[in-house]
């Protein structure tokens, strides 16, 4: 299922080494001012190049091919495409006989009878998230300027002290290894009343999108897993004024699946990149025994760095969809 | 949005103090043997009565009113209803002026302009999960006998040692307080290849349903948040044989959003019940100032006890939906 | 698929001879005044009893079991149920070996492997349309009092002269035969701008629902099939004032799939009731040869009489769904 | 809503004078052999150039940009794009003040607050149907070689005698007028059992798609509107053998909303092209009075000629979606 959403509906397509990846967004209201420049900041945050990220460089220039006229959205689908430029040809047939551990290689082959495009992960590539980041930019425009997103990485390689991260990443790089991390997104200025119980709680929609992002293995809101250790008398957030503001915010801005106007807080656990350069012992389906696998190519040591803006986009998309429903 | 699912579609309705709550399941294949007795075990697991649960007792007898003929499902919607018997009338108007902290009272009023049914939480009541448990029973039938669910509570009140839970709950009860907990669901025997990327990963669908369950504030799969602290060389699960079995299972049976045939592992954080009997200081919209609120009525000290089977049902429903799509 | 709709979503269930049939409507805005009495007029229009309709009598009293509180809709699903009272037991096993011509007997058996409920047509029974009529009543409330529905039967048994219909129906009754007819629905007072191209044109949604109604075999809007015989210069509807009113209304109030504020006009062809009492020669799957079939039971000679309000409800539902999207 | 489908889901986008139009099809099974050449025949049938069609010529070469690898579908979305080449710039601002009769100009402006792309009809252009024709080609592949589509134009300008059509079209051309027509689609070789009552009958899905096609104003199946004039004893189709074949086929191959294995027959009424070159009297919103409008540009005299393959595609898409659900 490559479409998602009720009112703000995105459809994504493309493969890592195909001609292009894209997203089409249906349900964007007419009359939103939009420019290809508007995507630059968030696309930059997702781009490779920094320490800990893959050396594969792409210009990632968005091309809006439908739904925009005279600088404003038209109300018909907004389609945004990105060329795949920096693809290296290579022999990917090995992946079918010696699938990479914790990668989609083997399950994709099972599911699609071997017809999936294996090059660079194909449709399972993180490159697909370009479309989500682009859709996130549009979603933020729908939410309006009073809604602010603030996304931070709060942990890398088990370490919450940011001053140590460069060292951690550098060491992992030299050890041909990778590290995970935790992202925290905060959204302020959101109105109370968004969310459509029973099934479409804010948490449900946000988690649905977040768990679609490759490498996400945990999602929590407000106090999250820590809430399980609290007493009701500690965890409950007393309302303190007529706007619904609360003294504490253990709920992370969501009560009964609905926004209560306080800051939304979500934390997302990112596993360490599965592609590592060091040798791994894993099953070889040709030889029928466990064998050493060396994964070649360019890898992110810490994909958390680039995933932060994707997580933020996921949250923005969920909220925009709910806002358009309200 | 009170419907969910692509092939196994459930629609739930009802309020805590209305005449009944129900669920209608569309997409159930014809020819599944089904009996009202089949629901007994799971409904019992959800039922109140044990220490730590509310004294409100309901017979919770399922009544199948459509979709069953001669003991087999017909292929048309399966509707299951539960009478609300043990409802106490009372004055709920107070909730609109003195909403309970961390409850849906205030947001529901905002969202539905005060027209929502406030009695016992109305449509926000945990009683609505009866339908999910019933749907979970049907979902397990679709998954078949080779798929096994094993659900445990792994933490209550911050304590993983089960021998201490009775004491923890008892103490909270006497302190007119409540405690949270963590549930772990394991599913074995599931086939490889379920899951529909990009958006309908197994984690996405399961989390969507789990976060619809009242009191859930965190969801993780496999190593989950702990994965963020691991290196790729530790976290990666090497495949060890031709069936796709892995040496470790940090992925929790899901890679690239798709089942890999290994055990599915999910953990769910349940916040402490918001309804506590002790006095709370929170805003009174009539007086315009913070005031003492005493919540009367019958409460669960530890809703985790009853939520376990609901979480299991959510997982079963997500998997049944994906199995029917495959 | 027993659910339909984007914002006004109905789920129907039940079988002709089960305990009840019902409809659950999700997406009904909170705060609509509603009473079980509100359904009386339209349910009466659908009820049997007049000449040309089946003698099976049902009280068809709606029971609202969720979504209503203090006389107003709550914003959570509105569920309406109807008991099946006047069911005659009987032996329906014959239908599997000697299926009725132009009935769903044989295809249902093929599709559901013989597990479908055959009694009275089961889920294929016209009785299922009770839920649509009830939903139509709610849909009209959403559209508001300025929108008026006017539905007429314009042809019965090939005859447009209403004075002859009683005779036509009476004759068909004595010949143990049945007759078809054409229904015309007109909707005035509808705002311009409803409809969601490309796929959810007003005509698309209305036709989707209308063709779900048993016995409907043709649907046209405005000039419809007659438009195919016209020239552009005749067919085009010139706009005559600033409100978008048109001189003629060959478009039937819908241009480019969107309402233009003029009267919506739809015509629906109803085939003659398939159940007739006279002997029919059709295949007997037990004997393996063509055989005489006598259908027992109570039949409508002219189902068009009862289908008119169902068609009107279908149109109202489509428009309400689009209005809630706008 | 620019997406449609349950298992075979198409999303279309683009405007007549934008850079391109496209379609993305999600749910296409992996392993279908597909080539850009496969689209040639059906795209040719839709192409302009014959008498009665617009002189605007486009190469209409499909470009598959995702979902295909080594000549086979991959199971991820199949995206097909068409460049817009032969667009003439022009001043379309006049359409907002002097909207064309029976065109979407005025309603689009109402609905999208004037932000819609007016050039060549924008998203309301028949050019959008390129994507449907392309999707129809893929749909036919899914249905398989045993399913045959046969589509004929059965009436043009009110005339069923084909020998007169050239004259009719020629005359309309010289009179700067346009003519309508009726298309008949027949599908043989389809299996029994497709269709998902209650709401997703074969007729419902097919009509939903057909009424999305610009200029369609009527749809009927089997005997259609003529069925309304028949008696049950005439209309009923007796089954004649164990495969479910019927003596007559008044049902058009669909009973109870489900295919019965007999030939599917649908007829579609196409209104005369709204764009005609002769002067029309219609409201001028600038002057505030009725005024003469001359529509410039290139028009189809008889769009029925090009719509036939679009209607066939709509039917193929509906059937493919249902086949994938079965």
């Amino acid at each position: 299922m490559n479409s998602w959403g009720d009112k703000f509906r995105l459809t994504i397509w493309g493969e890592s080494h195909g001609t292009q990846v894209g997203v089409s967004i249906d349900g964007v209201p007419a009359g939103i001012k939009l420019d290809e420049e508007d995507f630059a900041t968030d696309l930059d945050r997702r781009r490779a190049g920094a320490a800990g990220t893959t050396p594969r460089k792409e210009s990632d220039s968005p091309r809006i091919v439908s739904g925009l006229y005279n600088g404003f959205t038209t109300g018909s689908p907004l389609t945004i495409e990105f060329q795949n430029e920096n693809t290296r040809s290579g022999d990917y047939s090995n992946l079918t006989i010696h699938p990479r551990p914790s990668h989609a290689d083997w399950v994709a082959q099972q599911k699609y009878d071997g017809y999936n495009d294996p090059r660079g992960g194909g449709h399972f590539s993180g490159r697909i998230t370009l479309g989500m980041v682009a859709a996130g930019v549009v979603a933020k425009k729908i939410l309006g300027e009073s809604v602010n997103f603030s996304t931070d990485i709060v942990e890398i390689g088990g370490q919450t002290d940011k001053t140590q991260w460069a060292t951690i990443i550098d060491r992992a790089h030299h050890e041909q290894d990778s590290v995970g991390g935790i992202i925290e997104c905060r959204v302020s200025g959101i109105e109370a009343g968004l969310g459509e119980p029973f099934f479409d709680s804010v948490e449900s929609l946000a988690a649905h999108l977040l768990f679609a992002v490759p490498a996400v293995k945990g999602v929590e809101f407000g106090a999250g897993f820590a809430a399980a250790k609290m007493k009701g008398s500690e965890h409950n957030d007393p309302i303190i004024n007529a706007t619904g503001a609360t003294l504490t915010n253990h709920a992370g801005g969501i009560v009964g699946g609905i926004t209560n106007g306080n800051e939304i807080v979500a934390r997302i656990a990112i596993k360490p990149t599965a592609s590592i350069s060091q040798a791994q012992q894993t099953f070889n389906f040709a030889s029928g025994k466990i064998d050493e696998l060396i994964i070649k190519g360019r890898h992110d040591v810490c994909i958390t760095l680039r995933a932060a803006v994707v997580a933020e986009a996921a949250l923005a998309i969920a909220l925009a969809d709910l806002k358009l429903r309200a």
Side-chain angles (χ1 to χ4, degrees), chain A residues 143-310:
Chain A
L143 292 168
E145 296 198 350
S146 59
V147 176
N148 285 296
F149 286 80
S150 163
T151 298
D152 282 306
I153 295 169
V154 293
E155 184 182 307
I156 283 181
Q159 181 56 256
T160 57
D161 177 0
K162 296 191 183 216
T163 60
Q164 305 199 24
W165 294 351
T167 314
I168 287 170
I169 290 168
D170 196 49
R171 194 187 315 134
H173 179 65
H174 283 95
E175 292 171 351
Q176 299 184 303
D177 214 332
S178 64
V179 291
I182 297 177
I183 296 160
E184 185 173 272
C185 296
R186 293 173 174 273
V187 190
S188 63
I190 200 85
E191 66 198 278
L194 300 187
E196 299 291 334
F198 184 75
F199 289 113
D200 288 359
S201 72
V202 177
E203 294 111 320
S204 286
L205 294 200
H208 191 139
L209 285 168
L210 286 165
F211 276 119
V213 177
V216 171
K217 295 305 278 188
V219 171
E220 61 179 10
F221 297 90
F225 276 86
K229 301 184 196 302
M230 297 167 81
K231 292 186 177 173
S233 56
E234 298 168 81
H235 183 271
N236 283 357
D237 300 314
I239 298 176
I240 54 171
N241 68 27
T243 71
T246 56
L247 186 62
T248 48
N249 186 17
H250 297 116
I254 308 164
V255 179
I258 296 176
T259 56
N260 66 3
N262 292 275
E263 194 178 48
I264 294 177
V265 183
R267 264 178 308 280
I268 300 102
I270 307 290
K271 70 172 187 177
T273 322
S275 287
I276 52 175
S277 301
Q278 62 178 260
Q280 298 180 83
Q281 298 293 320
T282 190
F283 195 71
N284 184 321
F285 285 74
S287 69
K289 52 187 187 183
I290 293 168
D291 225 353
E292 188 175 277
L293 172 73
I294 305 282
I295 306 176
K296 288 170 189 153
R298 304 159 291 177
H299 317 303
D300 284 276
V301 171
C302 178
I303 194 68
T304 306
L305 300 171
R306 300 173 64 195
V309 68
V310 182

Side-chain angles (χ1 to χ4, degrees), chain A residues 39-200:
Chain A
F39 298 88
T41 306
D42 279 3
L43 290 172
D44 273 352
R45 293 168 63 196
R46 186 197 160 281
R47 201 185 314 275
T53 66
T54 172
R56 170 177 172 179
K57 298 242 185 60
E58 295 274 3
S59 67
D60 291 349
S61 305
R63 205 163 66 98
I64 303 178
V65 301
S66 74
L68 197 71
Y69 177 62
N70 282 344
F72 291 89
T73 57
T74 61
S76 70
L78 187 71
T79 302
I80 306 165
E81 298 185 349
F82 300 87
Q83 294 303 117
N84 290 332
E85 296 158 350
N86 195 358
T87 56
R88 290 193 189 163
S89 13
D91 182 5
Y92 286 88
S93 60
N94 190 46
L95 299 183
T96 65
I97 59 170
H98 210 176
R100 295 170 295 176
S102 295
H103 255 286
D105 300 338
W106 187 75
V107 293
Q109 208 179 325
Q110 294 295 305
K111 187 169 186 70
Y112 302 110
D113 294 329
Y115 287 104
N116 59 298
D117 182 347
R119 299 170 301 163
H123 191 60
F124 290 85
S125 165
R127 187 151 177 81
I128 301 304
T129 61
L130 265 177
M132 279 190 77
V133 172
V137 170
V138 181
K140 289 173 194 169
K141 293 235 168 191
I142 289 170
L143 292 168
E145 296 198 350
S146 59
V147 176
N148 285 296
F149 286 80
S150 163
T151 298
D152 282 306
I153 295 169
V154 293
E155 184 182 307
I156 283 181
Q159 181 56 256
T160 57
D161 177 0
K162 296 191 183 216
T163 60
Q164 305 199 24
W165 294 351
T167 314
I168 287 170
I169 290 168
D170 196 49
R171 194 187 315 134
H173 179 65
H174 283 95
E175 292 171 351
Q176 299 184 303
D177 214 332
S178 64
V179 291
I182 297 177
I183 296 160
E184 185 173 272
C185 296
R186 293 173 174 273
V187 190
S188 63
I190 200 85
E191 66 198 278
L194 300 187
E196 299 291 334
F198 184 75
F199 289 113
D200 288 359

